[in-house]
Amino acid sequence: MRSYHSSFTSPEELSEFELDAKNHALIAYILMILGCFTGVLWFIGAIWAMVKINDARGSLFEDHYENIITVFWWGLGWSIIGFALSIILIGYFILALLWLWAAWRIFRGLMRLTVNRPYYGLFDPRAFG
C-alpha cells in the first residue's frame, strides 16, 4: 500500500489495479454529483462504491470509496432529520448545511482523485496509522 505522504503520481505510474480502482471511484463520484440534483443517482453512486470497495482494497484510491460511503450514510441520516424538522423550519437550515458539506466532500474527493491522490491528506490522523 502506498504512503499517504506520496506526492503527485502520474497516470503512467498507476498499475492496472490502481487505474481500475480510480475509474470506479470516478464513476461513483460522478453519480453522487448528479445525485445531488436527482436523488436516485445518489443511491446508485453509493451502491456502486459499496460494491467496488473490496476491489480497491490496498490501492491508492481505497479511501475515496470510504469517503463516498461516509457521505452517503451521513447524508441519508441528516436528510431524514432535516426533512422531519422542516415542519419547524430549522430542517431547511440542516438540509442546506448538509448539501454544502456533501458537495464539498464530493468535489474535494473528485479533485484529489483526478491528480491521483488519496482522499485523506497528510494532516489527517488516518494518514499515520
Side-chain angles (χ1 to χ4, degrees), residues 20-21 24-25 49 52-53 56 61-69:
D20 192 45
H24 287 293
K52 294 295 184 178
I53 191 170
F61 307 107
E62 178 180 355
D63 59 349
H64 285 278
Y65 293 86
E66 294 169 3
N67 174 52
I68 293 166
I69 294 167

Side-chain angles (χ1 to χ4, degrees), residues 7-127:
S7 60
F8 175 77
T9 304
S10 70
E12 296 81 28
E13 295 176 30
L14 294 177
S15 68
E16 180 87 17
F17 165 67
E18 287 179 328
L19 191 57
D20 192 45
K22 177 183 178 181
N23 288 335
H24 287 293
L26 180 62
I27 291 168
Y29 275 126
I30 290 170
L31 289 169
M32 293 290 282
I33 289 169
L34 296 174
C36 285
F37 304 102
T38 63
V40 173
L41 294 176
W42 180 269
F43 287 96
I44 295 172
I47 291 168
W48 187 275
M50 289 178 209
V51 168
K52 294 295 184 178
I53 191 170
N54 287 330
D55 296 341
R57 294 274 183 224
S59 75
L60 179 65
F61 307 107
E62 178 180 355
D63 59 349
H64 285 278
Y65 293 86
E66 294 169 3
N67 174 52
I68 293 166
I69 294 167
T70 299
V71 169
F72 170 74
W73 285 114
W74 280 98
L76 183 63
W78 281 104
S79 291
I80 292 168
I81 292 168
F83 281 120
L85 293 176
S86 64
I87 296 169
I88 57 173
L89 300 180
I90 193 162
Y92 294 111
F93 179 70
I94 291 171
L95 292 171
L97 287 177
L98 172 62
W99 194 90
L100 291 172
W101 172 80
W104 166 249
R105 296 276 306 234
I106 292 169
F107 282 112
R108 179 179 187 259
L110 190 58
M111 288 184 300
R112 293 187 66 79
L113 182 75
T114 57
V115 294
N116 301 325
R117 292 190 177 178
Y119 180 80
Y120 295 102
L122 177 61
F123 299 108
D124 188 81
R126 296 176 49 154

